Amino acid sequence: DDIATWPQSLNNEFHALILERGPVRIKGLEYPKDIRGRKFAEKNYCKRLSNSEIVNRQWLVYSKCKDAVFCFPCKIFNSWNFKIATMGINDWKNLSHILPQHEKAQHHIETMHKLCELSVRLKNQTTLDAQNQRLLESEKQHWCHVLERLFSIVEYLLANNLAFRGSIEKLFQPKNGIFGGPCTTAGKI
């Protein structure tokens, strides 16, 4: 659950698991103070707009083991050019200035769009993995049907005491058997 303990590179399964759970926030925690007596304040989870509206910073996550805050989407999509994604930030004095700057950064905006798009695709099961899985399942069903048909043919031949092949090896010749000649009874199966 702690964002600071995630591996450096995340695979698709880990992405899906993380997005399914969403950003995990610890509320009501007694945040530890640094050497100057400063600590993380839960008010940083929100921002006040110019029209006095308060908006939740859903992307901001506190790490208990590192005593730092991380950007959830930037961490997921490996934004190595931001300290808030790699090591976290625990500069509590300047955090109220750092967070708005990070929110306005183009790379953060792009990762937010990626996060929203991936969340929607996972919910609708339209990711490449889901599409590949559907194609694989379709191919599997196709070959199961082919195998069923082959078993039906073998059963038909056995039930009617018919040979698999005729006495002539060339295709489309008389006496080539049921499946190789111009007139076949296999079409009736």
Side-chain angles (χ1 to χ4, degrees):
D1 285 341
D2 197 315
I3 194 168
T5 61
W6 292 356
Q8 290 271 337
S9 63
L10 307 175
N11 61 23
N12 290 337
E13 292 176 21
F14 203 77
H15 279 149
L17 178 68
I18 289 170
L19 290 175
E20 184 180 309
R21 299 176 94 194
V24 177
R25 285 190 177 166
I26 306 167
K27 292 199 174 189
L29 178 71
E30 186 60 39
Y31 299 102
K33 293 182 179 180
D34 63 9
I35 56 174
R36 292 180 206 92
R38 295 187 180 104
K39 64 181 183 174
F40 176 73
E42 285 189 7
K43 68 178 185 172
N44 289 307
Y45 282 141
C46 298
K47 70 175 178 177
R48 183 179 295 271
L49 300 178
S50 59
N51 65 357
S52 297
E53 183 181 354
I54 296 176
V55 178
N56 187 0
R57 286 185 173 122
Q58 294 179 341
W59 55 268
L60 188 64
V61 179
Y62 176 81
S63 167
K64 188 176 178 181
C65 74
K66 272 246 180 154
D67 185 30
V69 290
F70 287 83
C71 177
F72 183 74
C74 291
K75 180 76 171 177
I76 288 176
F77 295 109
N78 297 330
S79 300
W80 300 118
N81 51 343
F82 290 125
K83 183 179 176 186
I84 197 167
T86 56
M87 299 169 42
I89 293 179
N90 60 359
D91 181 3
W92 308 128
K93 179 182 178 185
N94 297 313
L95 191 63
S96 61
H97 301 292
I98 295 170
L99 294 179
Q101 287 176 341
H102 180 70
E103 285 175 318
K104 293 175 187 174
Q106 184 63 33
H107 197 72
H108 171 76
I109 294 168
E110 289 170 6
T111 58
M112 287 293 290
H113 285 293
K114 282 183 187 178
L115 179 69
C116 292
E117 186 177 309
L118 184 58
S119 295
V120 168
R121 286 180 180 225
L122 285 171
K123 285 179 186 171
N124 296 336
Q125 294 184 337
T126 56
T127 61
L128 289 176
D129 287 343
Q131 290 173 351
N132 287 338
Q133 192 64 32
R134 282 194 298 276
L135 285 172
L136 185 65
E137 191 61 34
S138 170
E139 189 77 12
K140 180 179 165 186
Q141 286 179 353
H142 167 75
W143 288 111
C144 282
H145 291 308
V146 168
L147 193 58
E148 285 176 15
R149 281 190 218 125
L150 290 173
F151 281 136
S152 295
I153 291 169
V154 170
E155 281 183 287
Y156 176 81
L157 293 173
L158 288 173
N160 294 301
N161 200 21
L162 297 171
F164 280 96
R165 59 181 210 167
S167 57
I168 297 178
E169 297 285 328
K170 290 186 181 180
L171 290 176
F172 305 112
Q173 298 294 319
K175 297 184 182 180
N176 192 343
I178 291 179
F179 298 107
C183 297
T184 63
T185 56
K188 297 178 185 175
I189 296 176

